[in-house]
Amino acid sequence: MGAVETVQASFARCDSPEFYDSIYDTFLGKSDEVRSLFANTEFKRQKVLLRSTVTIMVRFQLPDPRAQNVFESVGKTHNRQGYNIGPALYGLWLESLLESIAKHDPEASTETESAWREYLKPGIDLILAAY
């Protein structure tokens, strides 16, 4: 099974409200900077946005225009002129996502983790390019 199929199958096994709770709980525990950035966040809405973004990231690969639009939009809102989410925080976010996958995907493995890393890298790189 290739990265696309592995990621899509893993996502289907994880996709639940508890999964998104886990991502944010893990992410917020990564650093004081993350907690500070999310201090006034309404998480119910934020988790809906996260689910939408991750769903699009999983379903549509670059250069699909739907993925391109999402990554560019996130890049614009998260750049220096927007929320000013520094590049290092994307690594923490990715680690939080991967830790949550390991908790919520009963079939998760090192191969699953590698597939997610490979699959998400181009989109994360596009977001970072907007910083």
Side-chain angles (χ1 to χ4, degrees):
M1 187 180 321
V4 173
E5 296 83 10
T6 298
V7 168
Q8 290 177 346
S10 174
F11 179 66
R13 291 187 295 268
C14 290
D15 191 20
S16 70
E18 296 79 19
F19 176 60
Y20 299 101
D21 290 342
S22 177
I23 294 169
Y24 274 114
D25 291 345
T26 304
F27 191 43
L28 292 170
K30 293 285 184 189
S31 80
D32 290 337
E33 181 181 6
V34 172
R35 282 187 295 284
S36 174
L37 286 168
F38 285 92
N40 298 312
T41 299
E42 200 285 290
F43 277 97
K44 184 174 181 177
R45 180 178 179 277
Q46 188 66 30
K47 288 173 189 173
V48 169
L49 291 171
L50 176 64
R51 183 178 190 274
S52 297
T53 301
V54 173
T55 299
I56 290 169
M57 291 172 84
V58 167
R59 293 205 173 129
F60 306 108
Q61 283 189 288
L62 292 174
D64 187 297
R66 292 166 287 199
Q68 187 83 23
N69 288 338
V70 167
F71 295 126
E72 288 175 355
S73 176
V74 171
K76 286 178 187 173
T77 60
H78 288 66
N79 69 15
R80 286 179 183 90
Q81 292 75 41
Y83 295 121
N84 196 25
I85 307 299
L89 295 182
Y90 289 92
L92 294 178
W93 178 85
L94 179 59
E95 292 308 314
S96 300
L97 174 72
L98 295 171
E99 288 174 32
S100 296
I101 290 165
K103 290 178 190 172
H104 294 272
D105 179 356
E107 297 179 33
S109 65
T110 56
E111 291 80 17
T112 306
E113 179 181 327
S114 294
W116 275 94
R117 286 183 187 280
E118 174 188 335
Y119 193 85
L120 295 179
K121 185 178 182 340
I124 292 171
D125 287 348
L126 184 59
I127 293 167
L128 290 172
Y131 189 72

